[in-house]
């Protein structure tokens, strides 16, 4: 079926002036971008976009759908306190609960104008065929495109930070030492099964791998992921130098930076995305850029967790492909890509007083569309409104309060829009959101179902909550102390 979206204005990488244009769609793909009113024949369905600004669906370069039930559970948590609490906040996830959680995150993304994401599905203690199938089903049912990477570790959080266990009182030390992570070959065997049996349409859903954090994974694990990804032509995403504590582990454990270590292991290539990458130095940026790798910049999460401010300007100037993400609900806590894009523009401005060093609205917009598409390994498929790209289109209502008066369309989208101006969202030429609401979803039923699950989880996780709460003071003390130690990269602002 052919459709012509007519009467709208267009905003996409390389065409950022919001000029009028019509879009011809053939099936799920954009066939042509045409001057307004061009004749395309009679057998084409007309879609009226009068008073609408058309932009590519935003793309979330980093999230965790299985943590969507954890939104608004924590206030002043650093990354290390978040990781410590995971057995409680992420515990008791059956496949059906993973489905529900991922569906909630996907519905929020879609309703707020995001049409694809890179999901590091928390599969701790170990990945499972049923869990990953549930995550894929959730995206399939909502209609979002997703790269789905099981997030895995073969080292426990307490062991991963040098000196942490030794700093604990005897009773806690015993408990921490008794914890065991799943051996990597067990996790990898499950990943191999999942990848080899992947039956989903790869234009919609793709598998990838996420050995979560360098020092939470043995070198053997990282190398095995590298080889499995290479054998199947899939992506790898890892959290890299997200906090100063993590960055400080690099020289202590590997005698180099975390990126330097991954580079030595041969992990960094065009299929590699580093999430956060806050505490990376100039050499690290060079290694990532020269290898054609991407960074998923998550400014909201970075500020919520007090992780520091990623050097987006420097990364762009060095030639790294920059995408934008929200991160999961344990740290962001929403899944609003308009907000993430705006924060990427804003937070670049706290580095210093020279406006020429700040991210422009155009750079933030292109990072959240074209850049994120590259991070997903879908740079030739999504992220732009141009011939050959999928028809993933957000229709913004220019009569919404966000566009009155209408000045520069691009600046409205980056600095004003928060998702409330969305009229329709199309994925692959199909309208999934109308009047700002996702079609066919009974929200009160979803709320009731989720409330029941949360009551069940509170009971299941009561022991895990007590367990992690006992560790909280010692993790806090040790990690805050460690973060005071000198490092040659500076990413905190407002000293003193
Ligand atoms: Zn993350």
């Amino acid at each position: 079926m052919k459709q012509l979206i007519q009467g709208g204005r267009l905003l996409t990488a390389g065409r950022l002036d919001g000029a009028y244009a019509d879009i011809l769609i053939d099936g799920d793909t954009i066939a042509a971008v045409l001057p307004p009113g061009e004749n395309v024949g009679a057998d084409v369905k007309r879609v009226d976009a009068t008073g609408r600004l058309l932009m590519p669906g935003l793309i979330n370069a980093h999230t965790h759908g299985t943590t969507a039930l954890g939104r608004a559970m924590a206030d002043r948590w650093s990354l290390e306190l978040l990781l410590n609490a995971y057995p409680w906040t992420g515990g008791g996830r059956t496949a059906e609960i993973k489905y529900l959680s991922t569906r909630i995150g996907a519905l929020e993304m879609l309703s707020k104008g995001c049409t694809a994401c890179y999901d590091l599905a928390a599969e701790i203690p170990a990945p499972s065929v049923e869990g990953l199938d549930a995550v894929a089903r959730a995206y399939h049912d909502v209609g979002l495109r997703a790269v789905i990477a099981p997030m895995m570790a073969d080292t426990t959080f307490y062991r991963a930070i040098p000196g942490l266990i030794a700093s604990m009182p005897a009773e806690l030390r015993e408990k921490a030492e008794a914890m065991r992570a799943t051996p990597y070959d067990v996790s990898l065997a499950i990943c191999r099964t999942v990848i080899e049996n992947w039956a989903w349409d790869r234009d919609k859903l793709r598998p990838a791998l996420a050995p979560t954090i360098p020092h939470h994974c043995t070198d053997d694990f990282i190398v095995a992921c590298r080889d499995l990804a290479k054998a199947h032509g899939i992506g790898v995403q890892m959290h890299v130098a997200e906090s100063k504590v993590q960055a400080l582990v690099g020289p202590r454990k590997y005698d180099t930076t975390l990126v330097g270590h991954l580079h030595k292991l041969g992990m960094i290539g065009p299929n590699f995305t580093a999430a956060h990458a806050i505490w990376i130095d100039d050499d690290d940026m060079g290694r990532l850029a020269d290898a054609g790798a991407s960074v998923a910049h998550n400014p909201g999460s970075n500020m919520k967790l007090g992780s520091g401010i990623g050097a987006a300007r420097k990364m762009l100037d060095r030639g790294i492909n920059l995408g934008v993400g929200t991160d999961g609900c344990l740290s962001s806590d929403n899944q609003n890509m308009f907000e993430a894009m705006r924060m990427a523009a804003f937070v670049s401005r706290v580095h210093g007083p020279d406006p020429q060093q700040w991210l422009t609205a155009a750079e933030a917009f292109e990072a959240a569309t074209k850049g994120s598409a590259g991070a997903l390994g879908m740079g030739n498929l999504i992220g732009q409104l141009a011939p050959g790209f999928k028809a993933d289109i957000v229709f913004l209502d220019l009569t919404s309060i966000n566009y009155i008066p209408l000045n520069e369309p691009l600046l409205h989208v980056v600095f004003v829009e928060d998702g409330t101006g969305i009229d329709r969202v199309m994925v692959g030429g199909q309208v999934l959101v109308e009047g700002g609401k996702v079609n066919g979803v009974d929200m009160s039923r979803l709320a009731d179902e989720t409330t029941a699950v949360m009551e069940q989880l509170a009971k299941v996780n009561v022991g895990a909550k007590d367990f992690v709460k006992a560790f909280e003071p010692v993790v806090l003390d040790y990690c805050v102390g460690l973060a005071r130690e000198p490092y040659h990269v500076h990413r905190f602002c407002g000293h003193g």
Side-chain angles (χ1 to χ4, degrees):
M1 185 189 69
K2 286 188 179 177
Q3 311 179 62
L4 182 72
I5 303 175
Q6 57 185 13
R9 303 171 67 145
L10 188 69
L11 195 71
T12 186
R15 294 182 68 152
L16 294 169
D17 57 354
Y20 286 90
D22 293 349
I23 300 175
L24 181 65
I25 300 169
D26 189 356
D28 66 352
T29 303
I30 296 172
V33 175
L34 302 165
E38 186 138 312
N39 188 8
V40 293
D43 60 335
V44 175
K45 181 187 165 194
R46 265 50 180 188
V47 178
D48 184 20
T50 307
R52 301 291 181 265
L53 180 64
L54 308 168
M55 59 171 277
L58 293 165
I59 298 169
N60 192 347
H62 182 77
T63 189
H64 307 282
T66 50
T67 70
L69 300 181
R71 62 175 67 187
M73 276 181 88
D75 186 355
R76 297 196 299 179
W77 269 355
S78 63
L79 173 67
E80 284 72 31
L81 292 176
L82 183 157
L83 294 174
N84 175 63
Y86 189 76
W88 161 43
T89 57
R93 264 46 176 182
T94 61
E96 281 319 299
I97 295 176
K98 286 177 187 173
Y99 173 87
L100 175 69
S101 182
T102 304
R103 181 165 174 248
I104 289 169
L107 286 170
E108 183 180 358
M109 283 189 261
L110 182 63
S111 69
K112 295 178 181 175
C114 171
T115 52
C117 72
Y118 206 138
D119 185 344
L120 280 65
E123 285 282 77
I124 293 167
S128 62
V129 173
E130 313 79 58
L132 290 164
D133 184 62
V135 169
R137 255 190 305 124
Y139 284 114
H140 173 265
D141 292 354
V142 173
L144 218 70
R145 295 182 205 279
V147 176
I148 299 165
M151 182 168 78
M152 310 172 283
D154 68 342
T155 306
T156 66
F157 165 67
Y158 300 127
R159 286 180 193 278
I161 299 178
L164 175 57
I165 289 184
S167 79
M168 293 176 180
E171 189 203 353
L172 292 181
R173 200 184 311 147
E174 257 174 48
K175 287 182 182 169
E177 279 174 342
M179 288 173 79
R180 289 280 174 270
T182 305
Y184 81 87
D185 48 345
V186 174
S187 294
L188 255 287
I190 295 161
C191 290
R192 196 171 294 114
T193 302
V194 169
I195 295 164
E196 285 172 358
N197 293 295
W198 196 262
W200 305 98
D201 173 0
R202 282 178 190 247
D203 282 357
K204 285 257 175 84
L205 301 171
R206 287 186 191 175
L209 295 168
T212 180
I213 297 167
H215 48 287
H216 291 229
C217 300
T218 57
D219 289 357
D220 287 346
F221 191 6
I222 293 171
V223 167
C225 285
R226 176 201 70 190
D227 292 345
L228 185 61
K230 200 172 173 192
H232 292 275
I234 63 175
V236 176
Q237 184 167 153
M238 298 178 74
H239 299 87
V240 181
E242 176 176 354
S243 69
K244 190 176 173 192
V245 168
Q246 290 189 352
L248 284 160
V249 171
R252 280 170 166 74
K253 196 165 177 194
Y254 305 121
D255 206 24
T256 177
T257 62
L258 297 172
V259 173
H261 180 62
L262 293 175
H263 181 68
K264 267 196 210 158
L265 296 180
M267 176 53 101
I268 297 173
N271 69 332
F272 183 78
T273 297
H276 303 279
I278 300 169
W279 295 85
I280 63 172
D281 64 20
D282 292 355
D283 290 343
D284 294 335
M285 289 184 202
R287 290 175 181 121
L288 289 165
D290 295 345
S294 298
V295 163
H297 180 42
N298 309 304
S301 168
N302 296 346
M303 287 191 281
K304 169 88 189 295
L305 300 179
S307 301
I309 309 293
R313 160 58 55 216
K314 275 185 135 184
M315 292 194 273
L316 278 178
D317 286 355
R318 189 58 185 78
I320 293 173
N321 176 56
L322 192 74
V324 176
T326 57
D327 206 348
C329 285
L330 286 174
S331 62
S332 68
D333 299 57
N334 67 27
Q335 297 290 297
N336 187 335
M337 274 300 296
F338 279 105
E339 187 180 290
M341 175 168 64
R342 179 162 56 254
M343 281 200 261
F346 281 1
V347 83
S348 72
R349 297 158 198 235
V350 306
H351 286 291
D354 180 1
Q356 296 169 99
Q357 294 299 313
W358 303 344
L359 252 55
T360 63
E363 286 171 322
F365 179 83
E366 295 200 357
T369 51
K370 192 180 164 189
S372 288
L376 267 63
M378 293 184 168
N380 57 358
L381 201 68
I382 55 174
Q384 298 182 58
L385 299 185
F389 285 81
K390 296 293 178 190
D392 297 357
I393 306 173
V394 177
F395 294 57
L396 296 165
D397 179 357
L398 295 175
T399 65
S400 110
I401 198 70
N402 296 338
Y403 300 92
I404 302 174
L406 183 62
N407 290 309
E408 288 288 333
L410 170 68
L411 303 191
H412 281 267
V413 166
V414 177
F415 296 137
V416 188
E417 184 56 67
D418 56 0
T420 57
I422 292 173
D423 164 32
R424 274 168 282 175
V425 179
M426 211 177 231
V427 180
Q430 275 191 305
V431 176
L432 302 182
V433 174
E434 275 178 288
K437 297 244 182 307
V438 181
N439 287 332
V441 179
D442 182 341
M443 292 302 289
S444 62
R445 198 172 140 199
L446 179 64
D448 289 347
E449 187 189 341
T450 308
T451 303
V453 166
M454 293 308 284
E455 283 166 6
Q456 177 195 334
L457 281 175
K459 283 185 204 138
V460 169
N461 289 327
V462 67
K465 183 179 179 183
D466 292 345
F467 183 90
V468 303
K469 284 282 173 192
F471 283 89
E472 208 170 89
V474 63
V475 171
L476 177 74
D477 265 13
Y478 185 79
C479 292
V480 171
L482 186 55
R484 288 209 178 92
E485 294 196 10
Y487 193 64
H488 63 288
V489 175
H490 303 280
R491 298 282 185 258
F492 290 131
C493 298
H495 295 279

